């Protein structure tokens, strides 16, 4: 993974974390704020939502960490 890819992955991780926290809290404003921070390039929306859905589903099945 190149340094640029790693930096993008880490930046998206912060967005995923914020989005998952907002989804679990059922906080619509926080959800909207997190979605607005997703970069509009290079399939970022797909990557962020795929990761967020996985974590929300994991939480639903296995509970909080």
């Amino acid at each position: 993974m190149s340094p640029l890819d790693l930096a993008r992955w880490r930046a998206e991780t912060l967005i995923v974390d914020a989005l998952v926290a907002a989804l679990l809290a059922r906080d619509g404003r926080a959800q909207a704020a997190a979605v607005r921070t997703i970069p509009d390039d290079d399939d970022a929306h797909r990557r962020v939502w795929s990761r967020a859905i996985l974590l929300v589903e994991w939480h639903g099945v296995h509970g909080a960490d």
Side-chain angles (χ1 to χ4, degrees):
M1 184 175 277
S2 76
L4 181 58
D5 291 337
L6 183 58
R8 182 176 62 193
W9 182 264
R10 287 179 176 159
E12 287 178 2
T13 297
L14 297 175
I15 297 168
V16 170
D17 290 347
L19 181 56
V20 169
L23 289 168
L24 292 175
R26 297 184 175 159
D27 182 344
R29 288 181 186 211
Q31 292 169 20
V35 169
R36 279 193 299 271
T37 64
I38 300 172
D40 192 24
D41 66 319
D42 201 31
D43 295 324
H45 282 270
R46 180 188 50 77
R47 285 192 308 273
V48 168
W49 278 103
S50 294
R51 292 169 65 188
I53 289 168
L54 176 67
L55 292 171
V56 169
E57 288 179 353
W58 178 272
H59 187 275
V61 173
H62 299 286
D65 293 326

